[in-house]
Amino acid sequence: MKINKAKREKMGTTSNLRKNDKVEIVIEDVNINGDGIGRYNCMAIFVPKSAVGDQVEVKIIKEAKNYLVGKVEKYIKPSCDRIECDCSYYSKCGGCAFRHLSYPAELKIKEKHVSDCLSRIGGFKNLQIEKIIGSEKITGYRNKAQIPLGKDKDGNIISGFFASRSHNISNCDNCKLQPEIFDDITRHIKIWMKNNNILPSIEMLVKLSKIFSTTTDYLLSLDERHYIEVTG
């Protein structure tokens, strides 16, 4: 539902902020995409890779009718949920969303997301949600991945994940969330392509899946849709 400017002003959800303006806000919530949510004059400001409790100075990078998007310029007071990220690719990569948060904080976000979906979309009222059960393994747990292949400005074959909110490939040679074997296979595929003068197409993906945890053999095929599919 769209809300016109006059109605937004009556509701108090309006802002004089414009693109490139800077403002201090406190992050009140984080959505399932990892975007923190703060408010200025009742207008929601989405801030990627922020944490609940962050007091930040943000620069407005996008204006929409009912919300703004900001980028952190300075952490005035970091949240206690924030941790030092252990991934050198995280700032540019769009492969995951919570690497800057503690695992308990990540679980809390996911638990709240389930509850919100059941209440707002499902229409359930006063539903008691069981506490989320965390995993003992918080790295290398993914058993499927789709890794796009492309070229950098020098013509080298790169692989990784699409950068957040774009279709540009962010190079990533070592993903913390998938098994090391996935990285090894992708690296060998790039070497094979280079040795055989095969250039990545616009829609070329490495599709990896490990069906059984004890599997060590992988099959390689290139189908008509330009997917390199590897299944173990």
Side-chain angles (χ1 to χ4, degrees), residues 2-168:
K2 295 183 177 180
I3 304 175
N4 61 38
K5 184 177 179 181
K7 189 171 183 179
R8 281 193 287 124
E9 289 177 347
K10 185 177 180 180
M11 294 170 62
T13 56
T14 186
S15 168
N16 294 323
L17 292 176
R18 294 293 178 262
K19 189 174 180 179
N20 296 322
D21 285 349
K22 296 181 180 180
V23 63
E24 290 184 13
I25 59 172
V26 175
I27 302 301
E28 303 169 353
D29 198 2
V30 176
N31 64 22
I32 198 63
N33 297 316
D35 295 332
I37 305 168
R39 297 186 182 276
Y40 180 79
N41 286 349
C42 297
M43 174 70 79
I45 303 178
F46 292 86
V47 185
K49 294 180 170 62
S50 55
V52 172
D54 273 341
Q55 185 178 347
V56 290
E57 179 185 275
V58 298
K59 180 180 180 179
I60 304 302
I61 59 175
K62 179 182 177 180
E63 295 180 64
K65 288 185 177 181
N66 302 323
Y67 67 91
L68 302 167
V69 178
K71 177 183 177 182
V72 174
E73 291 283 293
K74 181 171 65 175
Y75 291 96
I76 300 167
K77 185 179 180 182
S79 166
C80 59
D81 289 340
R82 179 174 292 280
I83 60 173
E84 185 175 350
C85 180
D86 61 352
C87 176
S88 60
Y89 303 102
Y90 183 63
S91 61
K92 296 181 180 180
C93 180
C96 66
F98 302 116
R99 211 67 193 165
H100 64 293
L101 298 176
S102 68
Y103 188 52
E106 177 183 342
L107 293 180
K108 189 182 297 184
I109 292 167
K110 292 178 177 179
E111 184 178 299
K112 183 177 182 297
H113 176 67
V114 172
S115 178
D116 288 346
C117 287
L118 289 172
S119 59
R120 291 191 292 105
I121 300 174
F124 293 96
K125 303 298 182 183
N126 302 317
L127 191 65
Q128 296 298 316
I129 305 295
E130 294 288 339
K131 191 171 182 60
I132 191 169
I133 300 174
S135 173
E136 294 180 358
K137 188 176 183 181
I138 61 175
T139 60
Y141 59 82
R142 286 182 174 172
N143 58 15
K144 289 186 178 180
Q146 293 192 25
I147 303 172
L149 299 172
K151 294 184 294 182
D152 63 16
K153 61 182 180 180
D154 297 319
N156 299 311
I157 299 174
I158 60 172
S159 61
F161 299 93
F162 292 120
S164 180
R165 296 181 175 84
S166 84
H167 206 67
N168 299 321

